[in-house]
């Protein structure tokens, strides 16, 4: 495969975008992550209310390759602790170099077998695309193609 064959754009650098970047690298892809904010964290950065805690325990809310240790995190971690965990995970796996912060993704268009992603007025071409903007994002346009959700209610 050529470099373009393994290129992947990841939109968002919250908990899902971080995981997508980590595992894309692990499986030999060359990711570029676009994050609209000036820091990582997604909803934990933008909606971090005072005294906010997870509804689930740290045992259920962590990456499979990096548990939240008892000595470092409350049983029900606070929003600040979740942000701390995400920052530590990004540093551990050296993901910072793949992220472009303050990146406004303006359009995404499928062209033949590639994706054209326009960011801050500049066009970029990728073979793969992962949108990790979460439930709390506010998309300007709806995607006209098929949507494959990451979870399905039964």
């Amino acid at each position: 495969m050529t470099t373009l064959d393994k290129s992947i754009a990841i939109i968002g650098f919250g908990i899902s975008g971080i995981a997508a970047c980590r595992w894309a690298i692990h499986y030999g892809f060359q990711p570029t992550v676009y994050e609209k904010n000036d820091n990582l964290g997604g909803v934990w950065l933008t909606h971090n209310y005072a005294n906010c805690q997870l509804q689930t325990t740290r045992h259920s809310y962590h990456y499979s390759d990096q548990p939240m240790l008892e000595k470092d995190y409350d049983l029900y971690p606070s929003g600040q602790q979740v942000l701390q965990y995400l920052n530590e995970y990004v540093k551990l796996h050296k993901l910072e170099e793949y992220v472009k912060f303050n990146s406004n993704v303006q359009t995404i268009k499928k062209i033949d077998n590639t994706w054209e992603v326009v960011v801050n007025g500049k066009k970029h071409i990728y073979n793969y695309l992962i949108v990790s903007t979460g439930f709390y994002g506010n998309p300007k346009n709806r995607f006209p193609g098929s949507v494959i959700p990451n979870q399905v209610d039964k």
Side-chain angles (χ1 to χ4, degrees):
M1 289 185 143
T2 66
T3 300
L4 180 62
D5 291 336
K6 299 190 120 204
S7 67
I8 185 167
I10 300 171
I11 314 302
F13 205 50
I15 195 159
S16 296
I18 292 168
C21 182
R22 157 73 169 112
W23 293 104
I25 295 163
H26 177 81
Y27 286 105
F29 290 87
Q30 286 98 26
T32 301
V33 182
Y34 296 107
E35 170 55 49
K36 69 179 178 179
N37 295 303
D38 61 359
N39 209 336
L40 64 87
V43 71
W44 294 108
L45 176 68
T46 60
H47 292 82
N48 198 350
Y49 305 106
N51 303 318
C52 177
Q53 290 180 266
L54 285 177
Q55 299 177 156
T56 59
T57 67
R58 66 176 174 270
H59 308 295
S60 301
Y61 197 86
H62 64 83
Y63 296 117
S64 61
D65 61 336
Q66 182 67 28
M68 284 189 181
L69 301 176
E70 183 176 349
K71 68 181 183 71
D72 298 323
Y73 301 98
D74 296 337
L75 181 59
Y76 293 90
S78 68
Q80 282 303 111
Q81 287 179 320
V82 173
L83 270 177
Q84 174 188 331
Y85 172 77
L86 295 176
N87 274 287
E88 289 171 358
Y89 189 86
V90 166
K91 285 183 181 130
L92 175 69
H93 295 289
K94 300 177 174 75
L95 304 180
E96 305 96 332
E97 67 185 86
Y98 299 94
V99 185
K100 297 184 182 303
F101 292 104
N102 299 308
S103 295
N104 180 25
V105 175
Q106 296 161 301
T107 61
I108 299 170
K109 189 181 340 179
K110 180 86 168 148
I111 300 176
D112 297 322
N113 292 322
T114 63
W115 292 95
E116 179 187 89
V117 181
V118 178
V119 182
N120 297 338
K122 295 181 183 174
K123 289 183 184 179
H124 306 273
I125 302 295
Y126 298 93
N127 266 19
Y128 301 96
L129 172 71
I130 296 175
V131 179
S132 298
T133 55
F135 293 115
Y136 302 104
N138 189 14
K140 292 180 183 170
N141 300 312
R142 292 283 175 210
F143 176 67
S146 299
V147 174
I148 304 169
N150 63 354
Q151 75 181 50
V152 178
D153 294 327
K154 293 184 179 183

